[in-house]
Amino acid sequence: MHTTLGGGARTHVRDARIVQPDLELVAVPRDESFKIWSHGYPYRTVRWHFHPEYEIQLITSTTGKYFVGDYIGNFAPGNLVMVGSNLPHNWVSNLSQGDHVNERCLILQFDTGFVARAIEAFPEFKRVELLLDASRWGVLFTPETGGAAEPIMHEMLSAKGMRRLTLFLALFDLLVQSVAPVKLASAAYCADPARYAESRINHVLSYIGKNLSQALRESELAELVGQSVSAFSRYFRRHTGVPFVQYVNRLRINLACQLLMSGELNITDICYQVGFNNLSNFNRQFLSLKGMSPSRWRAYQQLNAASATESAEAAHVSQASG
């Protein structure tokens, strides 16, 4: 039996024995409030997983089974679901071996801090609180709402600046006015991210994040989780989508960008602080990921910062002469 936000749980599988979900690292760009993207199927992130961010997912092609908390259901194009912070979920499409679709779904992800700031800045946005609270169990919207959401979310993929925010608000206006959205997981279901974090891959990712400045060897991480190097290498790539060394280098370069923006350390110091053992390798990896050298990247950031100062000074001169 389906139940609405004011009622209890939908059909569920309370006692199903499901493997521990993996932690998905959601990288919301520093200069954006939320992440909007799409992917096909099969795809590396299609697995039983969770993340602290809220997620709205719209299926645009294929049918199959989906899993939200302890709920299992069927999906088809137009399936629109919102999942709350740390709620495990997965969509598995019915495709023949070797088949592939370029776009299976549209995904919007945002963190709790963004929502809190939005509500504080715009009291009208407080209307979404009931929906956000219900998303702790997952919320399914009608196919009609899914159909109305599709053009909004598709436009969001390429929208820039204020248009992104306009579309974000339009989407939530649609969701809060939708007819009888349905809770998915049972009322008794409770997401437990602390317990999920005990799983092997999350232990590894946490260790990497805390030790970026140190030497990180695949053999040592394999030993940490009790696997051979070859088995660990396959396991790591299956869960992250990239080889171990590439994953670590990406995190180190991202950290280097933060230090370059602060302007307090020289490039050589940054190189060693983020875990590279020689400057030439650091420069090569930075160029590969960012398309320019660290020094040029810093110079462009300084130019960006200077433009704000120049604009402020120009405004001051204009006011003084007005």
Side-chain angles (χ1 to χ4, degrees):
M1 179 178 68
H2 294 189
T3 58
T4 61
L5 297 188
R10 285 192 69 187
T11 303
H12 59 278
V13 183
R14 188 188 303 272
D15 299 319
R17 297 195 175 201
I18 302 175
V19 295
Q20 294 286 16
D22 290 332
L23 170 65
E24 179 180 300
L25 302 180
V26 176
V28 177
R30 291 171 60 91
D31 59 346
E32 295 179 350
S33 302
F34 54 86
K35 179 178 180 180
I36 177 75
W37 57 298
S38 66
H39 67 71
Y41 188 89
Y43 191 72
R44 62 180 177 80
T45 62
V46 177
R47 63 185 187 278
W48 183 235
H49 68 282
F50 73 103
H51 40 72
E53 294 76 15
Y54 291 93
E55 176 174 309
I56 297 171
Q57 180 162 173
L58 173 65
I59 297 295
T60 58
S61 67
T62 75
T63 61
K65 293 284 187 184
Y66 70 111
F67 309 79
V68 177
D70 60 358
Y71 172 80
I72 301 175
N74 299 309
F75 72 81
N79 173 262
L80 178 64
V81 172
M82 180 175 180
V83 295
S85 178
N86 294 317
L87 179 62
H89 53 280
N90 191 23
W91 277 252
V92 181
S93 294
N94 296 323
L95 282 186
S96 300
Q97 185 73 26
D99 286 351
H100 179 268
V101 294
N102 291 326
E103 182 188 276
R104 197 274 295 268
C105 56
L106 302 169
I107 299 173
L108 172 67
Q109 295 166 319
F110 54 95
D111 62 34
T112 55
F114 168 59
V115 175
R117 292 190 297 272
I119 292 174
E120 182 178 357
F122 305 104
E124 296 86 350
F125 201 66
K126 193 175 180 66
R127 293 181 61 198
V128 308
E129 287 186 326
L130 178 62
L131 184 59
L132 295 175
D133 182 67
S135 71
R136 289 185 293 167
W137 296 276
V139 177
L140 172 67
F141 300 92
T142 65
E144 291 75 19
T145 300
E150 183 170 350
I152 298 174
M153 295 182 71
H154 261 132
E155 186 180 348
M156 291 173 81
L157 290 173
S158 58
K160 304 294 183 183
M162 292 296 293
R163 182 58 181 165
R164 297 180 86 248
L165 294 177
T166 302
L167 292 167
F168 183 90
L169 293 175
L171 177 63
F172 268 88
D173 185 50
L174 173 68
L175 298 184
V176 298
Q177 296 188 59
S178 61
V179 177
V182 176
K183 284 185 180 179
L184 296 175
S186 67
Y189 185 84
C190 181
D192 188 358
R195 177 166 54 88
Y196 307 153
E198 295 173 359
S199 69
R200 182 180 294 167
I201 189 63
N202 298 326
H203 183 41
V204 169
L205 297 180
S206 176
Y207 182 89
I208 292 172
K210 293 176 181 177
N211 295 276
L212 271 181
S213 62
Q214 308 301 316
L216 290 169
R217 297 179 178 85
E218 196 167 15
S219 58
E220 294 176 352
L221 270 294
E223 183 178 352
L224 181 68
V225 296
Q227 290 183 317
S228 68
V229 175
S230 59
F232 174 80
S233 180
R234 292 191 299 271
Y235 173 79
F236 189 89
R237 184 162 189 161
R238 183 171 71 251
H239 285 281
T240 64
V242 294
F244 173 79
V245 172
Q246 185 177 342
Y247 178 88
V248 172
N249 282 342
R250 284 181 179 180
L251 291 185
R252 284 174 168 165
I253 295 302
N254 288 340
L255 177 58
C257 288
Q258 296 178 34
L259 296 176
L260 286 166
M261 289 178 69
S262 71
E264 297 174 359
L265 297 174
N266 63 47
I267 291 173
T268 300
D269 289 339
I270 290 174
C271 161
Y272 292 108
Q273 186 159 323
V274 301
F276 286 95
N277 55 18
N278 67 77
L279 188 59
S280 61
N281 185 37
F282 171 66
N283 286 331
R284 184 168 59 252
Q285 295 297 333
F286 197 100
L287 177 64
S288 175
L289 288 171
K290 299 298 179 181
M292 64 186 73
S293 67
S295 58
R296 176 165 292 187
W297 194 91
R298 170 177 269 176
Y300 282 143
Q301 292 299 325
Q302 291 171 342
L303 176 66
N304 187 30
S307 68
T309 302
E310 291 170 358
S311 295
E313 292 175 349
H316 179 72
V317 170
S318 177
Q319 291 174 357
S321 60

